[in-house]
Amino acid sequence: MRVLLFLVDTLFFFLVGAALLRGWMNTRRMRMSQQPGPFVIAITDWLVQPLRRLLPRPWAQANADWASWLAALLLSLAYSGLVHLVWGGALPGVQALDFWATVPMLALQWLLRTALQGLM
């Protein structure tokens, strides 16, 4: 079980980290033609492009890349839901909470952890 969780952690760390990096690079108006731009676009384009079409126009044209931030949030929610299902609801330290309270808390913790590890 630990090997499966390690693989899920690694996969979602790269996906969420790439979405956060894409949002940061677009906010700072960095050129996406130089590294790591093409790598980040290749990893996150499958989720960011549909989200850009779904967002209202003022949000899609703002200075911040809301589609990338939303993609990072959705990926972290998917990660936390998957981890909750793998553990069978017996996550350490949150046994008294149900699925709907545990998953958003774990998703926010995952986003914060990924952002801080990316800064390091």
Side-chain angles (χ1 to χ4, degrees), residues 4-102:
L4 177 64
L5 284 174
F6 173 74
L7 293 174
V8 168
D9 277 352
T10 304
L11 173 70
F12 276 94
F13 177 77
F14 280 117
L15 290 174
V16 171
L20 288 173
L21 182 62
R22 182 176 180 156
W24 179 76
M25 288 177 73
N26 283 333
T27 301
R28 296 290 161 222
R29 299 190 183 273
M30 297 176 83
R31 293 175 49 188
M32 296 298 265
S33 61
Q34 296 175 350
Q35 290 297 335
F39 176 72
V40 168
I41 288 174
I43 289 179
T44 59
D45 220 24
W46 63 274
L47 184 59
V48 172
Q49 289 302 323
L51 287 175
R52 282 199 177 134
R53 286 190 293 269
L54 289 176
L55 287 175
R57 276 286 179 218
W59 284 47
Q61 294 174 349
N63 286 340
D65 187 8
W66 290 105
S68 295
W69 304 123
L70 185 60
L73 179 65
L74 290 175
L75 285 168
S76 65
L77 282 170
Y79 165 79
S80 60
L82 185 63
V83 166
H84 192 275
L85 291 175
V86 166
W87 277 92
L91 290 169
V94 291
Q95 287 89 358
L97 299 175
D98 64 341
F99 180 79
W100 300 109
T102 305

